[in-house]
Amino acid sequence: MAKIQLNGKKITINSKSSIQDLLKKHNLINKKIAIELNGIIIPKIKFKKKYLKNKDKVEVVHFIGGG
Amino acid sequence: MKDIFKVANKKLKSRLIVGTGKYKSFQETAKAVEASGADMVTVAVRRVNILDKKKPMLTDYLNPKKIIFLPNTAGCFNSSDALRTLRLAREMGGWKLVKLEVLGDKKTLYPNMIETIKSTKILTKEGFKVMVYCTDDPLLAKKLEDNGAVAIMPLASPIGSGLGLQNKVNISIIIKQSKVPVIVDAGIGTASDATVAMELGCDGVLINSAIAMAKKPIIMAKAFKDAVISGRNSYLAGRMQKNYIASPSSPIKGLI
């Protein structure tokens, strides 16, 4: 198990979870989103191979209405 | 006569760009966008609500393949936050055309022009095409253009105020000096304000609150569509000269 912060909330995930696994768990596969891991943007092609570790900070953003 | 509106080589059919904030629902947003005839909409970048997996997303209602999304940096009060936001937006879908706004004051939402100019320069170097929300100061507008801005977007009055075009003289100076499109952004209150901006020679207008906060947003969206077309045609037609004495419209000759 690993404790990470996802969009400011502390959550526990299985160890050896990739970003792809995290997205799957939250119904975010194939959605228009972008990911930042510890302040660094992760390109889509790396989602499957990028594994998460304890204390990682993940930000998942999307487009919302705005002027 | 062909009247083409281009921003950073992107051809737009409509000179009206609309924001997608403040609507009651995504359904209303989509209907208003459709009624406005706009082919470009601004969108904000925010955290996904991870607690509610079924919450609808804007992209479920507006298709970025059919309408151009213009990511903005609303809510950013310094250059680094604005850069972070737009880099994430680019990652989301390869967007290079973006709207930069770096705010300086929470009460007036007036732009911080020092941070704005700095950010424009960095983003342009990174390959972004930056449309820039700015004050109506002609010198600073020029500075933005010199630093790579692809569109100058001066405020008509404070964001969401609905006060309309407060400084026609400055906006006119900016229009005359700019080689890139000038799009009035922020503060427009009603359709006639947009017509006035277009008659001055603005290349386009960006409207959000005036449509979203109208009692009937979808009808107001249509009103803005017509107002922008009218204003543009009026500008292209060239208004008559103002005179301080009357001139009869009917001929004097043949009077009985």
Side-chain angles (χ1 to χ4, degrees):
Chain A
M1 300 296 249
K3 280 180 183 170
I4 64 159
Q5 219 181 78
L6 175 60
N7 283 0
K9 291 187 178 66
K10 282 176 186 159
I11 62 160
T12 307
I13 54 164
N14 292 328
S15 38
K16 283 205 170 174
S17 284
S18 65
I19 287 180
Q20 182 85 354
D21 297 330
L22 186 73
L23 293 178
K24 210 179 252 173
K25 206 180 146 192
H26 289 91
N27 281 350
L28 291 167
I29 299 285
N30 293 329
K31 295 276 184 186
K32 279 246 172 286
I33 50 139
I35 303 271
E36 208 184 65
L37 174 59
N38 303 323
I40 296 161
I41 294 172
I42 308 295
K44 274 186 194 74
I45 47 161
K46 289 191 177 167
F47 286 179
K48 277 183 188 163
K49 286 184 179 167
K50 196 83 192 169
Y51 290 95
L52 297 166
K53 55 182 193 316
N54 223 12
K55 290 185 181 170
D56 271 348
K57 280 185 183 166
V58 185
E59 292 285 344
V60 187
V61 297
H62 66 154
F63 287 133
I64 65 151
Chain B
M1 184 180 66
K2 270 199 176 163
D3 178 36
I4 292 164
F5 179 36
K6 260 188 187 177
V7 182
N9 281 327
K10 215 176 239 319
K11 246 191 226 178
L12 297 178
K13 282 185 232 101
S14 172
R15 290 176 179 271
L16 171 62
I17 301 168
V18 293
T20 55
K22 293 185 175 172
Y23 285 96
K24 287 181 207 82
S25 64
F26 284 140
Q27 283 95 331
E28 191 183 66
T29 314
K31 276 185 188 163
V33 170
E34 199 191 340
S36 77
D39 42 5
M40 181 185 270
V41 297
T42 58
V43 291
V45 176
R46 293 289 183 271
R47 279 173 166 170
V48 170
N49 182 347
I50 48 155
L51 295 177
D52 188 356
K53 290 181 191 176
K54 283 182 182 152
K55 204 176 177 190
M57 286 176 143
L58 178 71
T59 41
D60 298 332
Y61 291 85
L62 287 176
N63 184 352
K65 281 179 188 152
K66 286 185 182 160
I67 197 150
I68 302 161
F69 274 30
L70 182 68
N72 72 18
T73 60
C76 292
F77 280 82
N78 57 59
S79 179
S80 63
D81 283 351
L83 298 177
R84 182 187 184 198
T85 302
L86 292 179
R87 285 169 186 149
L88 279 163
R90 176 163 66 180
E91 186 54 39
M92 245 180 281
W95 277 273
K96 278 189 179 170
L97 188 61
V98 293
K99 180 190 152 187
L100 174 71
E101 56 177 280
V102 187
L103 303 173
D105 175 54
K106 282 193 171 137
K107 200 170 173 185
T108 59
L109 297 180
Y110 223 63
N112 177 334
M113 289 305 293
I114 297 162
E115 292 284 293
T116 301
I117 293 167
K118 193 170 112 187
S119 311
T120 303
K121 201 173 181 175
I122 298 169
L123 289 165
T124 303
K125 268 191 190 154
E126 288 183 18
F128 283 96
K129 306 282 179 204
V130 200
M131 299 169 71
V132 193
Y133 167 63
C134 58
T135 56
D136 59 15
D137 181 321
L139 292 182
L140 295 176
K142 183 72 178 49
K143 199 115 193 157
L144 285 175
E145 196 175 336
D146 292 344
N147 279 286
V150 299
I152 306 292
M153 304 174 85
L155 48 79
S157 48
I159 296 175
S161 70
L163 290 170
L165 211 55
Q166 289 295 316
N167 199 337
K168 285 194 209 171
V169 177
N170 278 20
I171 300 286
S172 294
I173 296 170
I174 293 172
I175 291 166
K176 281 198 185 83
Q177 73 178 17
S178 302
K179 291 188 182 74
V180 294
V182 176
I183 298 161
V184 160
D185 180 8
I188 296 285
T190 190
S192 55
D193 294 340
T195 307
V196 172
M198 294 307 293
E199 279 182 333
L200 281 182
C202 284
D203 295 280
V205 291
L206 199 161
I207 314 289
N208 191 350
S209 302
I211 298 175
M213 304 309 282
K215 287 189 182 75
K216 293 177 180 171
I218 294 144
I219 297 175
M220 191 55 97
K222 172 77 167 67
F224 267 101
K225 178 185 180 179
D226 297 338
V228 169
I229 293 169
S230 256
R232 180 66 184 174
N233 281 337
S234 175
Y235 167 74
L236 293 173
R239 63 156 296 142
M240 66 167 282
Q241 257 194 336
K242 288 180 185 174
N243 295 303
Y244 288 95
I245 48 163
S247 160
S249 301
S250 309
I252 303 291
K253 205 182 162 194
L255 199 66
I256 50 166

